[in-house]
Every structure is written in C-alpha cells, then in structure tokens.
Short mmCIF file of all heavy atoms in Angstrom, two decimals:
data_model
loop_
_atom_site.label_atom_id
_atom_site.label_comp_id
_atom_site.label_asym_id
_atom_site.label_seq_id
_atom_site.Cartn_x
_atom_site.Cartn_y
_atom_site.Cartn_z
N ILE A 614 104.31 96.14 116.24
CA ILE A 614 104.72 97.07 117.29
C ILE A 614 106.10 96.74 117.85
O ILE A 614 106.65 97.51 118.62
CB ILE A 614 103.69 97.15 118.44
CG1 ILE A 614 103.47 95.78 119.08
CG2 ILE A 614 102.41 97.76 117.96
CD1 ILE A 614 102.66 95.83 120.37
N GLU A 615 106.64 95.58 117.49
CA GLU A 615 107.98 95.22 117.94
C GLU A 615 108.68 94.38 116.88
O GLU A 615 108.03 93.79 116.03
CB GLU A 615 107.94 94.49 119.28
CG GLU A 615 107.11 93.24 119.27
CD GLU A 615 106.96 92.64 120.66
OE1 GLU A 615 106.71 93.38 121.62
OE2 GLU A 615 107.09 91.41 120.76
N PRO A 616 110.01 94.34 116.92
CA PRO A 616 110.75 93.57 115.93
C PRO A 616 110.41 92.08 116.00
O PRO A 616 110.06 91.56 117.06
CB PRO A 616 112.22 93.80 116.31
CG PRO A 616 112.24 94.94 117.25
CD PRO A 616 110.89 95.00 117.89
N GLY A 617 110.53 91.42 114.87
CA GLY A 617 110.29 89.98 114.83
C GLY A 617 110.38 89.49 113.40
O GLY A 617 110.56 90.28 112.47
N PRO A 618 110.22 88.19 113.21
CA PRO A 618 110.26 87.63 111.85
C PRO A 618 109.19 88.26 110.97
O PRO A 618 108.04 88.40 111.38
CB PRO A 618 109.98 86.15 112.07
CG PRO A 618 110.27 85.90 113.51
CD PRO A 618 110.01 87.18 114.23
N GLY A 619 109.57 88.69 109.79
CA GLY A 619 108.61 89.27 108.85
C GLY A 619 108.27 90.72 109.12
O GLY A 619 107.44 91.29 108.43
N VAL A 620 108.87 91.33 110.13
CA VAL A 620 108.58 92.73 110.46
C VAL A 620 109.60 93.63 109.78
O VAL A 620 110.80 93.53 110.02
CB VAL A 620 108.60 92.97 111.99
CG1 VAL A 620 108.35 94.44 112.30
CG2 VAL A 620 107.56 92.09 112.67
N ASP A 621 109.10 94.47 108.89
CA ASP A 621 109.95 95.42 108.18
C ASP A 621 109.94 96.80 108.82
O ASP A 621 110.88 97.56 108.69
CB ASP A 621 109.47 95.57 106.72
CG ASP A 621 109.46 94.24 105.99
OD1 ASP A 621 110.52 93.58 105.98
OD2 ASP A 621 108.40 93.87 105.46
N ARG A 622 108.83 97.13 109.49
CA ARG A 622 108.67 98.48 110.05
C ARG A 622 107.97 98.36 111.40
O ARG A 622 106.98 97.66 111.53
CB ARG A 622 107.82 99.30 109.09
CG ARG A 622 107.81 100.76 109.32
CD ARG A 622 109.06 101.43 108.73
NE ARG A 622 108.83 102.78 108.31
CZ ARG A 622 108.31 103.17 107.16
NH1 ARG A 622 107.94 102.31 106.26
NH2 ARG A 622 108.18 104.44 106.90
N ILE A 623 108.47 99.09 112.38
CA ILE A 623 107.86 99.15 113.70
C ILE A 623 106.90 100.34 113.70
O ILE A 623 107.30 101.47 113.40
CB ILE A 623 108.93 99.35 114.81
CG1 ILE A 623 110.02 98.29 114.73
CG2 ILE A 623 108.27 99.38 116.19
CD1 ILE A 623 109.55 96.89 114.89
N CYS A 624 105.63 100.06 114.02
CA CYS A 624 104.63 101.12 114.04
C CYS A 624 103.41 100.64 114.81
O CYS A 624 102.95 99.52 114.63
CB CYS A 624 104.23 101.48 112.61
SG CYS A 624 103.02 102.82 112.48
N ASN A 625 102.88 101.50 115.64
CA ASN A 625 101.65 101.21 116.35
C ASN A 625 100.47 101.37 115.39
O ASN A 625 100.47 102.27 114.56
CB ASN A 625 101.52 102.19 117.53
CG ASN A 625 100.36 101.88 118.43
OD1 ASN A 625 99.22 101.83 117.99
ND2 ASN A 625 100.66 101.67 119.69
N VAL A 626 99.47 100.52 115.50
CA VAL A 626 98.32 100.56 114.60
C VAL A 626 97.60 101.91 114.65
O VAL A 626 97.03 102.35 113.66
CB VAL A 626 97.36 99.39 114.87
CG1 VAL A 626 96.65 99.55 116.21
CG2 VAL A 626 96.35 99.20 113.75
N ASP A 627 97.68 102.60 115.78
CA ASP A 627 97.07 103.93 115.90
C ASP A 627 97.81 104.99 115.09
O ASP A 627 97.30 106.09 114.91
CB ASP A 627 97.02 104.38 117.36
CG ASP A 627 96.09 103.53 118.20
OD1 ASP A 627 95.01 103.17 117.70
OD2 ASP A 627 96.44 103.23 119.36
N SER A 628 99.01 104.67 114.63
CA SER A 628 99.83 105.64 113.91
C SER A 628 99.99 105.32 112.43
O SER A 628 100.79 105.96 111.74
CB SER A 628 101.22 105.69 114.55
OG SER A 628 101.12 106.02 115.91
N LEU A 629 99.27 104.34 111.92
CA LEU A 629 99.43 103.93 110.52
C LEU A 629 99.23 105.08 109.54
O LEU A 629 100.02 105.26 108.61
CB LEU A 629 98.48 102.79 110.17
CG LEU A 629 98.76 101.45 110.81
CD1 LEU A 629 97.62 100.47 110.52
CD2 LEU A 629 100.10 100.89 110.34
N LEU A 630 98.16 105.84 109.72
CA LEU A 630 97.87 106.94 108.80
C LEU A 630 98.97 108.00 108.84
O LEU A 630 99.44 108.45 107.80
CB LEU A 630 96.50 107.55 109.10
CG LEU A 630 96.04 108.66 108.17
CD1 LEU A 630 95.96 108.19 106.73
CD2 LEU A 630 94.68 109.19 108.64
N ALA A 631 99.40 108.37 110.03
CA ALA A 631 100.47 109.36 110.16
C ALA A 631 101.78 108.84 109.58
O ALA A 631 102.53 109.59 108.96
CB ALA A 631 100.66 109.73 111.63
N GLU A 632 102.04 107.57 109.75
CA GLU A 632 103.30 106.97 109.28
C GLU A 632 103.35 106.79 107.76
O GLU A 632 104.36 107.04 107.13
CB GLU A 632 103.51 105.61 109.96
CG GLU A 632 104.78 104.91 109.61
CD GLU A 632 106.01 105.47 110.30
OE1 GLU A 632 105.87 106.18 111.31
OE2 GLU A 632 107.12 105.19 109.81
N PHE A 633 102.23 106.34 107.17
CA PHE A 633 102.26 105.95 105.75
C PHE A 633 101.45 106.86 104.83
O PHE A 633 101.66 106.86 103.63
CB PHE A 633 101.78 104.51 105.60
CG PHE A 633 102.63 103.53 106.33
CD1 PHE A 633 102.17 102.92 107.49
CD2 PHE A 633 103.91 103.23 105.90
CE1 PHE A 633 102.96 102.02 108.17
CE2 PHE A 633 104.71 102.34 106.57
CZ PHE A 633 104.23 101.73 107.72
N GLY A 634 100.48 107.58 105.37
CA GLY A 634 99.63 108.44 104.55
C GLY A 634 98.38 107.71 104.08
O GLY A 634 98.28 106.49 104.15
N ALA A 635 97.44 108.47 103.57
CA ALA A 635 96.14 107.94 103.15
C ALA A 635 96.26 107.18 101.83
O ALA A 635 97.03 107.55 100.95
CB ALA A 635 95.13 109.07 103.01
N GLU A 636 95.48 106.11 101.76
CA GLU A 636 95.27 105.36 100.51
C GLU A 636 96.57 104.88 99.88
O GLU A 636 96.75 104.96 98.66
CB GLU A 636 94.44 106.20 99.55
CG GLU A 636 93.11 106.59 100.13
CD GLU A 636 92.22 107.41 99.22
OE1 GLU A 636 92.72 107.93 98.19
OE2 GLU A 636 91.02 107.53 99.53
N LYS A 637 97.47 104.32 100.67
CA LYS A 637 98.79 103.89 100.18
C LYS A 637 98.89 102.40 99.89
O LYS A 637 99.83 101.96 99.23
CB LYS A 637 99.88 104.26 101.20
CG LYS A 637 100.02 105.73 101.42
CD LYS A 637 100.52 106.44 100.18
CE LYS A 637 100.74 107.90 100.48
NZ LYS A 637 101.11 108.67 99.34
N PHE A 638 97.95 101.59 100.38
CA PHE A 638 98.08 100.14 100.25
C PHE A 638 96.88 99.53 99.54
O PHE A 638 95.74 99.92 99.78
CB PHE A 638 98.24 99.50 101.64
CG PHE A 638 99.49 99.94 102.34
CD1 PHE A 638 99.49 101.02 103.21
CD2 PHE A 638 100.69 99.28 102.11
CE1 PHE A 638 100.65 101.42 103.85
CE2 PHE A 638 101.86 99.69 102.74
CZ PHE A 638 101.84 100.76 103.61
N ASP A 639 97.16 98.57 98.68
CA ASP A 639 96.09 97.86 97.97
C ASP A 639 95.49 96.74 98.80
O ASP A 639 94.40 96.26 98.51
CB ASP A 639 96.64 97.24 96.67
CG ASP A 639 97.09 98.30 95.69
OD1 ASP A 639 96.42 99.34 95.60
OD2 ASP A 639 98.12 98.09 95.03
#
C-alpha cells in the first residue's frame, strides 16, 4: 500500500482484482 524496498506496485489489497484481473498469478 506504500512505497518501500521490494515494492514494484502500489495497490490496496481490496483492489487487487480490479488492478490485475482474474487468475493472473501462479
């Protein structure tokens, strides 16, 4: 949810589906 080491993308966990789409990660 905020910048930091190892953070590539800022996103709230409630918005993961809207941000990345369904079934995108293994």
Side-chain angles (χ1 to χ4, degrees):
I614 59 169
E615 58 187 44
V620 177
D621 302 306
R622 194 81 150 276
I623 306 299
C624 181
N625 187 302
V626 70
D627 293 320
S628 302
L629 290 173
L630 183 59
E632 182 77 18
F633 299 108
E636 302 180 347
K637 297 294 184 185
F638 296 93
D639 295 322

